[in-house]
Amino acid sequence: MSSTILQPLVGGETFACDETADLPGVDGGLVARVGVSPTLLLQLALRRLGGAAVPSAVFSRAGELFAEAELAGESADEYRRRVVAATGLPYRVVSDGLRSVRDGLAQLEESNARQLPAPAPRVRWVPRGQSLGIVTPSNHVDPHLTWARALSLGYGVIVRPGTRDPFTPFRLAAALLAAGLPKHCLSVLPGSHDLGERLLAESDLGIVYGGPTAVGRWADHPRVLTRGPGRSAVLLDKPLSPDIVDALARSVAADAGVRCTNTSVIRTSGDPAEVADALAARLDALPTLPAAHPDAVLPTVSAEQAAQLRRTVADLEQAGFRRHSVDGGPVPLDDGSYAARPVVLSTSDPRHPSIGTELPFPFVVITPWSAADGLEPFGPTLALSVFSDDLGLPSAALAEPRIRRVVVGGMAPWTSGPELPHDGSLTGFLLEPKALVSDKEPTG
């Protein structure tokens, strides 16, 4: 695979930076060189930025281009190969992400409308600002719908891409511009952590994705929305059955286990070791393949990442967790990358301080739970999957402020639809209601 050079995009114009950074793949080879945006370029992007009323047809067309077209000289298949090489995401996960973003862009108008209250004649929902700065992740394609939604609501957007996947925001930007998005609406500025911090500080609104350290600084900032660790969990209050084991395995390992809605903790009223043994046996059967293989279902990581992840798992075992899976972390592949094999741990201590650890591959801890514990042990939790005959538990979980989504009956924790909020209402964050009071009959 030949390397490419990605340079910052400001209002549809490419700027060549003197400083570039090498982007290595998980196998150690060079995938791309990326321009490092200086602070002055951020200031220029902010000055040039502006929102616009963009027809919904632009987003539908952009979705088709994003999923299928050659953009900036790169085919959809070449894009997939670069993302796989740089991030270690399985090829099928990136392919599914292309289709998911395509479908999401086609549904933006409906989704925006369905996530707001019923229309009222004297109320207008309007943007809370004019500019949105967003620091995007590298763990999946889907989160990039977030900033496309902001564009559809009239914002000007500046994207600071994740360091491992700058390809997705550049491709989506190219698709949007080719579909008719006004150039002044969008800039893409790869750069340092400090650049991302400045972007969030100087935009009217901001969104940041990342781990506890990345989002911690902004957790209480009223104009910055944090999308941090999901800490998604399962409450298992039923006897194990093959269907339940399958559902648990899917919640842990589907989409390579990299989503924020993938389960990382299972609290069970049964025997944690029994649940862990059954789940580990199911996950141990997953194939070990390079990420580019069409049948790959596990992520791959670099040698350095593999060593770090294995140390983390070993430290957890040293701290008292019992490992039930065959492997204690990533294993080497012939191409120089490491397949991140599933890890299933258990503990008899439901309050062990390391419960809540999240790792970027199929990883889960099983621990005891009883009805007397209630829902207090679960928060904060992005998605809680409930397996119980207690019909009151789902409603009680919905009433718990620290639980953001409740899933019942083995449904996938990431189940989506135009009307379904992911972590609260993104539309509600971007817009605010204002009153229009007039002696004339309100229209529109």
Side-chain angles (χ1 to χ4, degrees), residues 222-360:
R223 287 193 164 261
V224 176
L225 184 66
T226 58
R227 291 288 190 247
R231 296 194 172 92
S232 295
V234 165
L235 192 167
L236 177 58
D237 188 31
K238 296 180 73 171
L240 276 182
S241 68
D243 286 347
I244 288 179
V245 174
D246 285 347
L248 295 179
R250 184 169 60 250
S251 74
V252 172
D255 260 10
V258 299
R259 286 181 178 267
C260 54
T261 43
N262 281 113
T263 296
S264 55
V265 176
I266 298 172
R267 295 183 181 271
T268 178
S269 57
D271 179 1
E274 178 187 353
V275 175
D277 282 339
L279 182 56
R282 176 72 170 75
L283 295 177
D284 282 342
L286 296 177
T288 302
L289 296 167
H293 193 285
D295 296 327
V297 293
L298 298 175
T300 57
V301 297
S302 67
E304 181 181 0
Q305 291 172 302
Q308 181 180 356
L309 292 172
R310 291 191 74 88
R311 283 195 300 270
T312 299
V313 173
D315 289 344
L316 291 171
E317 291 186 72
Q318 187 67 29
F321 287 96
R322 175 187 169 191
R323 175 160 58 89
H324 297 256
S325 47
V326 171
D327 296 298
V331 298
L333 295 167
D334 291 341
D335 67 356
S337 66
Y338 285 70
R341 296 288 310 164
V343 170
V344 178
L345 306 177
S346 72
T347 175
S348 60
D349 179 2
R351 298 189 180 276
H352 194 292
S354 293
I355 293 174
T357 298
E358 294 214 324
L359 297 176

Side-chain angles (χ1 to χ4, degrees), residues 233-236 384-388 390 393-394 397 406-410:
V234 165
L235 192 167
L236 177 58
L384 176 64
S385 298
V386 178
F387 295 84
S388 175
D390 182 347
L393 269 178
V406 178
V407 181
V408 181

Side-chain angles (χ1 to χ4, degrees), residues 7-345:
Q7 293 284 16
L9 184 72
V10 177
E13 181 181 353
T14 298
F15 283 74
C17 293
D18 293 333
E19 182 183 356
T20 62
D22 289 348
L23 175 56
V26 292
D27 64 357
L30 179 65
V31 179
R33 289 189 171 87
V34 184
V36 180
S37 306
T39 302
L40 285 176
L41 198 57
L42 171 59
Q43 300 307 317
L44 176 64
L46 285 166
R47 287 198 301 272
R48 291 189 177 183
L49 192 66
V54 183
S56 60
V58 168
F59 296 97
S60 295
R61 177 59 179 153
E64 295 171 359
L65 295 173
F66 178 71
E68 301 169 5
E70 181 174 306
L71 296 166
E74 182 176 71
S75 68
D77 196 51
E78 182 66 15
Y79 156 78
R80 279 189 289 259
R81 289 198 295 269
R82 291 191 195 281
V83 173
V84 169
T87 66
L89 288 172
Y91 188 87
R92 65 168 63 181
V93 172
V94 180
S95 296
D96 289 346
L98 276 174
R99 291 187 289 270
S100 177
V101 169
R102 177 199 62 198
D103 296 344
L105 288 170
Q107 295 175 331
L108 276 181
E109 185 175 31
E110 178 188 1
S111 182
N112 290 340
R114 295 179 72 172
Q115 289 193 26
L116 290 174
R122 297 186 178 187
V123 177
R124 300 291 185 272
W125 284 84
V126 299
R128 295 176 61 210
Q130 296 179 333
S131 62
L132 174 78
I134 180 166
V135 177
T136 60
S138 297
N139 67 311
H140 205 280
V141 180
D142 278 2
H144 294 278
L145 273 171
T146 302
W147 56 267
R149 184 185 300 281
L151 289 167
S152 76
L153 294 171
Y155 278 85
V157 174
I158 300 177
V159 181
R160 202 281 270 171
T163 53
R164 290 184 297 120
D165 179 19
F167 305 102
T168 298
F170 274 106
R171 180 172 179 83
L172 184 51
L176 287 161
L177 293 169
L181 181 78
K183 293 181 179 180
H184 67 268
C185 291
L186 179 61
S187 293
V188 181
L189 302 181
S192 65
H193 172 79
D194 287 343
L195 182 84
E197 293 283 296
R198 284 178 176 267
L199 172 60
L200 295 172
E202 297 185 28
S203 302
D204 292 338
L205 293 182
I207 301 176
V208 56
Y209 287 81
T213 301
V215 304
R217 162 163 152 65
W218 301 100
D220 298 317
H221 197 291
R223 287 193 164 261
V224 176
L225 184 66
T226 58
R227 291 288 190 247
R231 296 194 172 92
S232 295
V234 165
L235 192 167
L236 177 58
D237 188 31
K238 296 180 73 171
L240 276 182
S241 68
D243 286 347
I244 288 179
V245 174
D246 285 347
L248 295 179
R250 184 169 60 250
S251 74
V252 172
D255 260 10
V258 299
R259 286 181 178 267
C260 54
T261 43
N262 281 113
T263 296
S264 55
V265 176
I266 298 172
R267 295 183 181 271
T268 178
S269 57
D271 179 1
E274 178 187 353
V275 175
D277 282 339
L279 182 56
R282 176 72 170 75
L283 295 177
D284 282 342
L286 296 177
T288 302
L289 296 167
H293 193 285
D295 296 327
V297 293
L298 298 175
T300 57
V301 297
S302 67
E304 181 181 0
Q305 291 172 302
Q308 181 180 356
L309 292 172
R310 291 191 74 88
R311 283 195 300 270
T312 299
V313 173
D315 289 344
L316 291 171
E317 291 186 72
Q318 187 67 29
F321 287 96
R322 175 187 169 191
R323 175 160 58 89
H324 297 256
S325 47
V326 171
D327 296 298
V331 298
L333 295 167
D334 291 341
D335 67 356
S337 66
Y338 285 70
R341 296 288 310 164
V343 170
V344 178
L345 306 177

